Structures are given as C-alpha cells and as structure tokens.
Amino acid sequence: MQFCSQKFFLFFLLVFVLYWALPWRRVRVGLLLAASFYFYASWNKWLALLICVSTLLDYLLALGIEHSTAMWRRKLLLCVSLFANLGLLCYFKYANFFLTSLHDALKVVGMSTSFHTLNVLLPVGISFYTFEAINYVVDVYRRRIPAERNLGDFMLFILFFPHLIAGPIVRARDFLPQIKRPKRWSWARMHLGTGYVLMGLVKKLAIADRMAEYVDPVFADPSAYRGSAIVFAALAYAVQIYCDFSGYSDMALGTAHMLGYKLARNFNLPYLAVNVADFWHRWHISLSSWLRDYLFIPLGGSRGGRWQTARNLLITMTLGGLWHGANWTFVFWGAFHGVLLVIHRAFHNFSKARPQLERFLQSVSGTVLRRLLTFTCVAIGWVFFRAPTFGTAFTLLHRVAVWHSGLGTPIPMLNLRWTLLFLGICHAVAYWVPWRKLWRIPAPIQGFAYAAALVLAQVFAPDAGKVFIYFQF
C-alpha cells in the first residue's frame, strides 16, 4: 500500500472521514492505531504482529526502568531493550549479510564452508521503528521523558502509519504529547497538508520515477555507456533519490498534518549545502540528528582531541552507512562521508587561521565553489550507494575518469536536461522567495496550482511506477 497508489488514497480517505467524524479523543487514537496496524499488515500480517510484540516489550521495559531505583537494574533493563531491538534488526536485516561475508572471507584464505543463507523476510521499515524505540527507551533511562503509561498511545507512537515505513524518525518527546492534545479541525492545516501531499506526488511520480528510466540501464551495465552518459546518469540518480525520499517525507508530513499531527521536517534543500557537514544538517535530518544524539555524542563527540573526534565521526558515519543496507557498498558510502567530515573539520580549522582564505570562501564566488565541490563529492558517494557491487561502482568511475567519449551508448538527454533545469529553478525559488507571502495568494489561484500539480504528477508518471527507494531500509 504505497502513498501514491489508489489503494492508499481510498484507505486514507476512509480513515480521514471517520477520524474527524468521531468526537472522542480515545476513540480517534484507537482508530489510528487500528488503521496503522492494517496498513502494516497489508504488507505482511505476521510481521505486523512482530512489531506489536517488540513494542509491547519496550513499553514494559521503559516502565521498569522508570520505577527502578537501583542503577544496576536500570542498566540491565536498558541493555535488554537494546539487545532485543538491535537483535531483531541484525537478524532480519544483517544475518545473511554477515553469513555471506564470513563465507567469502573464509574462502579467500582457502577454507571450505557450508553456510546456508536464511530464508528471512525483511520487515518493511524495521530500521526506522527500531531507532524510534531506542530513542524512547534511552530517553526514559536518561530521565529526559517519563515512561508512557498508556499502551495504546505508545503503540501509536511506533505504528503511526504516515511515518512507519520510511520515516522521518520520530522522537517520543515530540510525538507522545501530541497524542494527548485535543485535535480540532483546521482549514489551515488541511491546506498545508494538501500542499505537502501534492508536492510529494510531483517529486515521486513526475521526477523520481522518470529519473529511474535514465539511471537503471546505466547502473545495470555501465560498460555499455560512454562517459557523458554515466555523468548524467549519476546526476539523474542524485535527483532521483532526493525527490523519491523527500517526496515520501512530504507525503508523510502532509497526511500527518491532515490528521492533526506534526512530524519533523526531514529535508532542507540539501544540494545547496556549502560543505558536507551542512549537507548532513539538510539531508535526512531525523537520521543525522539521531546519529548525533545517540551514537556520536555517547562515543565522546568532539569533546576529545582531534584524533578522537575523527574516530567518532568515522565510526558514526560507517554505522550510519550500514544502517542503510546490508551491503559493503553502503558501509563504504558511510565511511566515505565520515572521511569527508574529517577533512572538512581539518580544512575549517586551517582556513580560520587564514583570514584572506576565509574571506574568499565566504564571498559569492567562494560560496558557489563550495556548493559545487560539495555536490560533486555527494554525487560520487551516490554512485557507491546505488551500485549493487564495488565492481559496478569502479567501472562507472573509471569510464568517467578515462572519458570514453566515442565508445558506448548515449542516453536521451532532452527530458533529463529539462528536469535538471526545473529542479534547479525550484531550489533557487525555495531559497530566495519568502514562502509566507505565497500563502496570501488568492484561493482560486492556489486551487488551480494544486490541480495543475496533480495533473502534472499523473501525466508525467511512467507506466511502471517504482517502489520508494527507502522502503528497502
């Protein structure tokens, strides 16, 4: 049941009408909980039961942590929760990855093995709701929030269907108070939610799925394409993954707003970042802030010396890469960004001691240069993120480095160029135009714009739609 499918539209319409027709808060919560369970069970009913069992366990452990006065008991209950959540994540997502990697390593040293991969079905969105459960239990352990007494409210925090499959990663301290807050109909929120949903549909159907038509053939057989085709395919993938994931996030925020809930913003024009640290403040914000608060800072953050900080950055980003998928290319992608962050910190300290260099970097030309360099580094990283193997990634980069201009197949460029231009204009408008003034546009014009966005999404959507990229994580 994808957000951009007719089935989800009918499902959400029914939930929406019933939700606002019911005057009782507890009944509304029950409706959303039942709808969220049905939403997840439409993928797999047994995995829906699994998430309910793990949620019940975290609910009980958090209550135990809050009621315990002995530190050893609190730590024990916290470890049980972390072991259960990370254990489920490792089993379903990484068991076959670790077995295959061990088999390959033993084979390299000449040892024969008889490992068999497990027949495991990956629960959709397990990486997201696992991190949400961990942030809740850890915050209760740190006494930043009280343990939730109402089981239904806590289960809705984990299962709320707009963010269940692919985020954004919700913090318990932000979401749980919203459940208890009375909800009143608001045309302003309906307007905002509708705008988010339509923007997400355009990003997903009209842009991301179109870009896949350029990306998939090149990454499937890079040796058949010339260097220019590979460069534009890499650009197309940068556009695809941004519009695909931010499109999902927009629809999640929009549907939540239409039900009276507010989710955290997950993207902020990431391709306008002036450095890689700025990129991670703009890209998948809920994940980067989670990694900062629950991994980087507990490791020591930047409180130690230069080498300790570099170590913590590399560990955090490498594990962040592994979080994305059970493949060494994801691990490399995370480590690559860790190295970029270390280099950025070193260069930042270097330039601060040189006022002339710092003034150039802060100038208009220096800012443009920094943005181009940052985007180039991010695009190179996306090659490893998208490539199924290291061999594919290195073939792509090699054909660009030696520039196979006369060999290989070209790709049709017209639609791709127009899409890149359109996205660039959208970024420029979003960066320079004060959006609050746009809400004052007369309602008929706004309605026409919404209708045009819906038509645009339907007309430009390819015949064969693509599953959201982050569903696999």
Side-chain angles (χ1 to χ4, degrees), residues 155-372:
M155 294 194 73
L156 182 61
F157 156 64
I158 298 293
L159 291 171
F160 188 50
F161 67 87
H163 72 75
L164 177 59
I165 303 300
I169 299 172
V170 175
R171 303 289 183 102
R173 61 177 176 265
D174 296 328
F175 191 84
L176 286 173
Q178 294 188 60
I179 300 177
K180 304 181 187 306
R181 198 174 301 147
K183 305 292 187 301
R184 295 179 178 87
W185 175 269
S186 169
W187 280 109
R189 294 198 78 161
M190 297 305 109
H191 181 196
L192 181 62
T194 302
Y196 269 121
V197 170
L198 290 175
M199 183 165 58
L201 282 173
V202 171
K203 285 182 178 180
K204 170 60 177 172
L205 298 179
I207 301 178
D209 287 357
R210 277 290 178 189
M211 292 298 97
E213 297 179 346
Y214 299 100
V215 173
D216 293 347
V218 174
F219 277 81
D221 186 14
S223 60
Y225 292 87
R226 61 182 63 173
S228 60
I230 292 173
V231 169
F232 277 97
L235 291 174
Y237 183 69
V239 172
Q240 181 194 1
I241 192 170
Y242 168 66
C243 290
D244 189 282
F245 192 22
S246 69
Y248 178 93
S249 296
D250 289 340
M251 285 185 271
L253 266 65
T255 52
H257 268 299
M258 295 168 77
L259 295 171
Y261 289 85
K262 181 180 179 181
L263 303 181
R265 187 181 184 185
N266 216 18
F267 291 88
N268 181 21
L269 303 176
Y271 292 153
L272 292 183
V274 295
N275 55 61
V276 69
D278 187 31
F279 173 79
W280 281 103
H281 287 128
R282 296 166 174 266
W283 175 274
H284 203 346
I285 300 170
S286 62
L287 173 64
S288 58
S289 62
W290 193 101
L291 292 174
R292 178 198 64 206
D293 294 342
Y294 298 97
L295 188 55
F296 178 68
I297 292 177
L299 285 172
S302 56
R303 296 189 298 272
R306 179 177 58 186
W307 296 109
Q308 290 86 346
T309 302
R311 177 203 63 192
N312 296 338
L313 284 171
L314 286 171
I315 292 174
T316 300
M317 296 308 298
T318 301
L319 291 177
L322 182 62
W323 174 90
H324 279 83
N327 195 320
W328 286 110
T329 54
F330 291 116
V331 176
F332 179 87
W333 173 79
F336 174 73
H337 273 272
V339 172
L340 292 178
L341 287 170
V342 171
I343 294 174
H344 163 67
R345 289 182 68 89
F347 182 76
H348 177 73
N349 294 331
F350 175 83
S351 61
K352 281 295 184 183
R354 291 159 178 81
Q356 290 184 341
L357 175 60
E358 182 66 16
R359 281 195 298 270
F360 168 74
L361 293 175
Q362 298 301 325
S363 67
V364 174
S365 57
T367 300
V368 171
L369 179 62
R370 287 189 294 155
R371 283 180 172 148
L372 288 174

Side-chain angles (χ1 to χ4, degrees), residues 353-429:
R354 291 159 178 81
Q356 290 184 341
L357 175 60
E358 182 66 16
R359 281 195 298 270
F360 168 74
L361 293 175
Q362 298 301 325
S363 67
V364 174
S365 57
T367 300
V368 171
L369 179 62
R370 287 189 294 155
R371 283 180 172 148
L372 288 174
L373 180 60
T374 301
F375 178 77
T376 301
C377 293
V378 170
I380 293 173
W382 287 140
V383 171
F384 290 93
F385 191 93
R386 173 62 177 81
T389 64
F390 283 116
T392 301
F394 288 127
T395 299
L396 287 161
L397 296 177
H398 177 264
R399 292 187 71 83
V400 172
V402 300
W403 200 253
H404 288 264
S405 58
L407 302 173
T409 306
I411 60 175
M413 300 298 299
L414 183 60
N415 290 336
L416 177 55
R417 286 172 177 166
W418 278 110
T419 302
L420 293 175
L421 177 62
F422 172 75
L423 194 65
I425 293 173
C426 289
H427 270 67
V429 171

Side-chain angles (χ1 to χ4, degrees), residues 49-61 85 129 133 136 151 154-159:
L49 291 175
L50 174 67
I51 187 176
C52 289
V53 171
S54 66
T55 301
L56 175 61
L57 178 62
D58 287 317
Y59 168 78
L60 296 174
L61 289 172
N85 283 293
Y129 64 71
Y136 167 74
L151 177 59
F154 179 69
M155 294 194 73
L156 182 61
F157 156 64
I158 298 293
L159 291 171

Side-chain angles (χ1 to χ4, degrees), residues 25-37:
R25 185 184 71 85
R26 293 309 320 167
V27 180
R28 285 179 175 178
V29 171
L31 171 67
L32 290 182
L33 189 57
S36 298
F37 181 83

